[in-house]
Amino acid sequence: MDSNQEMDSAHQVPDGVDEKTVRALGALSKALETTERARGHLYGFHQLTGTADFELGDAVRLLREAGHEEQAARVEREIVGRNVIPGQWTFQIIEAYNATYYRPFAAVERELVDELADGRDHLLEARLKTARRTPHHPDHTPTPTDT
């Protein structure tokens, strides 16, 4: 089955692009997708840590209301607003990750897709769609415009 005959032009493998290149770009794209997930976990870490810090503020207030000023002051002094690693809060970790790893990775992936596949994304997935769909089934159409 020739996926180029069934897929829209944006997902057709350009002339001269071999199967190994399609597979290599698919692997590169998958690695970037994994990095996107890792980045999402960093944002989750950032938000959970920030939430915990605000919850600590509630704990400090409640300790004070319960008459435990010394303990409240200790939590406030030692933990509230504390760096999560030396000199950095979570937003700084995200900024460093984005600048040092994520943005360069995304840029290289984009450049390679542009250079090797005329900027066409998801060529491997388009081939998989063609191979795995049921022809003539209304929910297995090759493109969104088919009815």
Side-chain angles (χ1 to χ4, degrees), residues 95-107:
E95 288 174 353
Y97 180 84
N98 284 340
T100 304
Y101 188 77
Y102 173 73
R103 283 191 208 106
F105 188 165

Side-chain angles (χ1 to χ4, degrees), residues 54-87:
F54 283 108
E55 290 169 350
L56 280 170
D58 292 340
V60 167
R61 178 184 51 78
L62 291 168
L63 283 166
R64 285 195 170 113
E65 288 176 7
H68 305 291
E69 178 59 38
E70 181 181 326
Q71 290 83 0
R74 188 162 110 209
V75 170
E76 190 171 49
R77 178 183 66 249
E78 296 295 328
I79 307 299
V80 173
R82 186 180 184 99
N83 292 330
V84 295
I85 61 174

Side-chain angles (χ1 to χ4, degrees), residues 6-128:
E6 296 186 22
M7 293 306 297
D8 58 287
S9 61
H11 294 101
Q12 291 179 1
V13 177
D15 290 338
V17 177
D18 63 13
E19 184 64 23
K20 286 183 180 181
T21 301
V22 170
R23 293 173 67 83
L25 291 174
L28 184 63
S29 174
K30 184 176 180 185
L32 180 59
E33 290 170 7
T34 301
T35 299
E36 294 279 6
R37 290 179 59 206
R39 187 170 175 244
H41 287 292
L42 273 180
Y43 278 94
F45 166 69
H46 164 65
Q47 291 173 351
L48 288 170
T49 301
T51 298
D53 194 63
F54 283 108
E55 290 169 350
L56 280 170
D58 292 340
V60 167
R61 178 184 51 78
L62 291 168
L63 283 166
R64 285 195 170 113
E65 288 176 7
H68 305 291
E69 178 59 38
E70 181 181 326
Q71 290 83 0
R74 188 162 110 209
V75 170
E76 190 171 49
R77 178 183 66 249
E78 296 295 328
I79 307 299
V80 173
R82 186 180 184 99
N83 292 330
V84 295
I85 61 174
Q88 295 190 0
W89 273 21
T90 56
F91 75 90
Q92 292 166 303
I93 295 169
I94 290 170
E95 288 174 353
Y97 180 84
N98 284 340
T100 304
Y101 188 77
Y102 173 73
R103 283 191 208 106
F105 188 165
V108 166
E109 190 269 349
R110 179 80 262 149
E111 290 167 7
L112 291 181
V113 169
D114 289 347
E115 288 172 25
L116 300 175
D118 293 338
R120 295 179 188 176
D121 292 309
H122 300 109
L123 298 177
L124 182 63
E125 289 89 340
R127 285 210 172 155
L128 289 172

